[in-house]
Amino acid sequence: MGFEALLGNDRLKQNLTESLARGHISHFYLISGPEGSGKHTLAKLLAAAILCQGTDKPCGRCTPCRKVLDGSHPDFITVDDPEKKTVPVDLIREARADMYVRPNESEHKIYLFPRAQDMGLPGQNALLKVLEEPPKYGVFLLLADNPDKLLPTVRSRCTELDMQPLPENILRTRLRRDFPQAQEADIAAAMVRSGGFLGQAKALLESGGAVSAQTESFVRAFSDRDTLGLMNTLVPMEKWKRDALAQTLESWLELTESALASRSGIRAVSPLAREMAQSRSSPELMNGVRSLQKALDYTQSNVSPAAVCGWLEWALR
C-alpha cells in the first residue's frame, strides 16, 4: 500500500518511505498546505505507517493500520474542539499530560492537531513544554493551513512536510472520475480556481453543481432582466425564516461575485455564474453584488424577510 492513497507529492512520499524504512521517526511533524491539499490524508497514512506491523508501511492490512484508517486506534488521538474558533488551551494541556501515559497497544502514541494554526499563543506555549522534552514513544502531527501563525520555537522543532499542488493530468483524471456529469469547462475552471489542490477543486464543483429552484429562478430572471420573473421568485420568499433567507442570499451573492470575477477573466466554475457573466455588464453585476450584500446585512440585522425581499426586488430592477 505505502503512501499511494495520497495523490501526487511524489518526492515527499519517497522521502517518508525511505525515512520510515530506516526506522527514523520524528517526534514532531508539521504538515502544511491550504484547505483541500491532502493534509488529513497524509496525517492518517503517516500515523498508520508509524504504527504499522507489516511491510511497505503503511501496509493497510495489519490491525494497527486498519484501526488508524477507520479512526478507532486508541494510540492515535485527535486534539480539537471544532465548535470553538480557537483550540482550547485546556485540551492541549490534557494532551500534554496524557502524553506521559504509555501507549495502550503500540510502541508509539500519536497526537493529531488538525488546526495547529488555531491553537493561539497560550496553547502553543503549553504544547512547547512537551515539545522540548517528549517521551521517546510520543509523536505529534500538526496540521496547518497557515504555518506562519505558529511560533518559531514550535516550527523549529518540527519536521516540515509541505503539500504540493497536483500535476494537471492527475487532477483532471480524478475530477473526471468523481464528476462524470460535469462539463469540461467546469472542470477546467475548478482546476484553475483550486490552485491544483483536489479538495478545493471538488468543493468548487460540488457547490457549483447543486442549486435550489429559487437560485435557478433568480439567475434566469436576473440574466434576462425579467422583472416579473424576479418578483415571482422573491414574493414566496417573503414568508421564509431569516436563517433560510440568509443562506439563499449568500448563495446568490457568491454566484454574482463569481460572475463579476468571470468578467475580469477569472474562470467561473458554475454554469449559472457564466450565464450571468455573459448577459450582464460588470457595472450591473457590481450593483447586484452590492444589493445582495445589503439585503444579507438587512436579514442578519433582524429586518423582516418580507421587507428584505421587497427592497431587493426594487434594487435589482
Side-chain angles (χ1 to χ4, degrees):
M1 177 181 173
F3 289 92
E4 289 85 358
L6 177 70
L7 295 179
N9 295 277
D10 292 338
R11 183 181 295 276
L12 183 154
K13 292 189 293 188
Q14 181 180 353
N15 290 342
L16 281 176
T17 299
E18 293 174 355
S19 178
L20 291 167
R22 295 193 300 268
H24 294 168
I25 298 173
S26 174
H27 284 294
F28 320 112
Y29 292 93
L30 171 58
I31 304 176
S32 61
E35 185 177 353
S37 60
K39 297 189 300 296
H40 290 82
T41 298
L42 176 58
K44 271 200 169 185
L45 291 172
L46 180 55
I50 291 171
L51 302 181
C52 179
Q53 295 176 345
T55 57
D56 190 22
K57 301 179 184 296
C59 70
R61 297 183 298 274
C62 68
T63 298
C65 276
R66 293 199 303 271
K67 284 187 174 182
V68 169
L69 296 176
D70 68 19
S72 63
H73 201 297
D75 295 320
F76 182 42
I77 302 154
T78 298
V79 183
D80 194 16
D81 183 349
E83 299 298 322
K84 302 291 178 61
K85 184 176 181 180
T86 302
V87 182
V89 66
D90 288 345
L91 282 183
I92 298 172
R93 288 172 178 155
E94 289 173 11
R96 184 182 66 192
D98 187 66
M99 171 60 77
Y100 294 99
V101 178
R102 297 191 64 82
N104 290 278
E105 300 179 0
S106 303
E107 294 182 359
H108 291 88
K109 198 170 187 180
I110 303 172
Y111 291 82
L112 172 66
F113 291 77
R115 294 189 297 141
Q117 75 280 346
D118 295 332
M119 288 191 292
L121 292 179
Q124 292 185 56
N125 283 320
L127 183 63
L128 191 58
K129 293 182 180 180
V130 74
L131 295 183
E132 292 171 347
E133 295 183 19
K136 62 180 181 179
Y137 52 78
V139 177
F140 286 82
L141 304 181
L142 310 181
L143 276 56
D145 298 340
N146 184 1
D148 291 334
K149 289 187 176 180
L150 296 177
L151 293 170
T153 46
V154 172
R155 290 188 68 174
S156 66
R157 288 168 170 77
C158 295
T159 297
E160 295 202 30
L161 306 174
D162 297 325
M163 306 302 297
Q164 299 298 314
L166 297 181
E168 183 176 320
N169 62 322
I170 293 177
L171 182 58
R172 188 184 302 275
T173 298
R174 177 53 67 94
L175 292 177
R176 282 176 174 166
R177 190 198 75 175
D178 293 348
F179 298 89
Q181 304 304 320
Q183 300 177 23
E184 185 60 32
D186 296 340
I187 289 178
M191 291 174 62
V192 172
R193 294 281 298 277
S194 68
F197 294 108
L198 178 62
Q200 291 190 27
K202 292 176 71 171
L204 286 166
L205 287 170
E206 288 166 355
S207 64
V211 297
S212 66
Q214 287 81 11
T215 296
E216 284 201 35
S217 297
F218 162 73
V219 171
R220 301 282 181 258
F222 185 68
S223 298
D224 295 341
R225 296 176 175 80
D226 181 359
T227 303
L228 180 60
L230 186 62
M231 182 183 70
N232 289 336
T233 300
L234 287 167
V235 166
M237 296 169 62
E238 293 179 357
K239 299 180 180 179
W240 285 15
K241 300 289 187 182
R242 283 194 183 87
D243 289 346
L245 179 59
Q247 185 175 2
T248 296
L249 291 176
E250 284 178 355
S251 69
W252 292 5
L253 177 59
E254 183 178 339
L255 277 171
T256 310
E257 289 175 335
S258 181
L260 182 60
S262 180
R263 296 284 301 186
S264 302
I266 300 174
R267 294 183 183 180
V269 176
S270 168
L272 293 177
R274 293 199 295 271
E275 179 181 337
M276 294 170 69
Q278 291 169 2
S279 60
R280 288 283 197 163
S281 66
S282 294
E284 288 174 327
L285 290 168
M286 178 59 75
N287 178 66
V289 168
R290 289 170 177 163
S291 299
L292 288 165
Q293 182 62 66
K294 199 166 186 178
L296 183 58
D297 292 342
Y298 284 152
T299 303
Q300 294 171 338
S301 300
N302 291 328
V303 177
S304 72
V308 170
C309 290
W311 178 86
L312 190 58
E313 179 189 342
W314 170 82
L316 291 177
R317 290 189 181 193

